[in-house]
Amino acid sequence: MNQQIFVELRLSGAGFVTGLWLMAVYDVLRGLRIFVPHCPAAVGAEDVCYWIYAGLTAFSLVYRGNDGTVRAYIIAAAAVGMAIYDRLLSRRLLKLLQKLKKSVRIKRKKRKKLVDK
């Protein structure tokens, strides 16, 4: 096979992994928001910082891997990685974190009742 095909397959794999990574980073933000309440301005600022980071990460991938030439398959691979992470991990993780928060809240209420008595 042509060496260029291997380069493009590697770039597709790197795009896929980048998509997984970007969703994992955003899940950290969403998990933090579950446990630490944020005002809308803070959420907006976090999102702006995240999207700057995501843009720089994607630009870096394209620049290093393909000398800055944007290829649709790299973007598509990143989108597929993000979608797979969202469907397989993110939703379950966020549900688990919500349950954990609810459990912690219930335990705090029980302790407070015991302390109040």
Side-chain angles (χ1 to χ4, degrees):
M1 273 212 295
N2 188 354
Q3 186 66 22
Q4 186 63 28
I5 292 174
F6 288 117
V7 169
E8 295 191 17
L9 284 173
R10 183 184 58 78
L11 276 172
S12 294
F16 181 80
V17 170
T18 299
L20 294 174
W21 171 252
L22 290 175
M23 282 300 291
V25 169
Y26 196 68
D27 265 358
V28 170
L29 280 177
R30 291 195 294 187
L32 182 65
R33 291 174 188 165
I34 288 172
F35 289 102
V36 180
H38 288 68
C39 69
V43 171
E46 287 172 352
D47 282 346
V48 166
C49 290
Y50 169 78
W51 283 110
I52 289 171
Y53 172 74
L56 290 173
T57 301
F59 175 77
S60 173
L61 170 69
V62 171
Y63 185 75
R64 283 184 288 119
N66 212 19
D67 293 328
T69 305
V70 176
R71 302 279 188 195
Y73 67 87
I74 300 171
I75 296 168
V80 167
M82 293 172 104
I84 288 174
Y85 181 91
D86 182 56
R87 299 283 187 226
L88 297 179
L89 296 173
S90 181
R91 293 177 183 196
R92 291 183 180 113
L93 176 65
L94 292 176
K95 285 180 184 177
L96 179 69
L97 289 175
Q98 290 286 358
K99 287 180 182 179
L100 180 64
K101 179 182 177 183
K102 189 175 182 179
S103 172
V104 168
R105 193 180 301 156
I106 290 170
K107 288 179 183 179
R108 277 191 208 151
K109 286 181 182 180
K110 286 181 181 179
R111 278 194 214 132
K112 186 175 181 185
K113 285 182 183 179
L114 289 174
V115 170
D116 289 343
K117 288 182 182 181

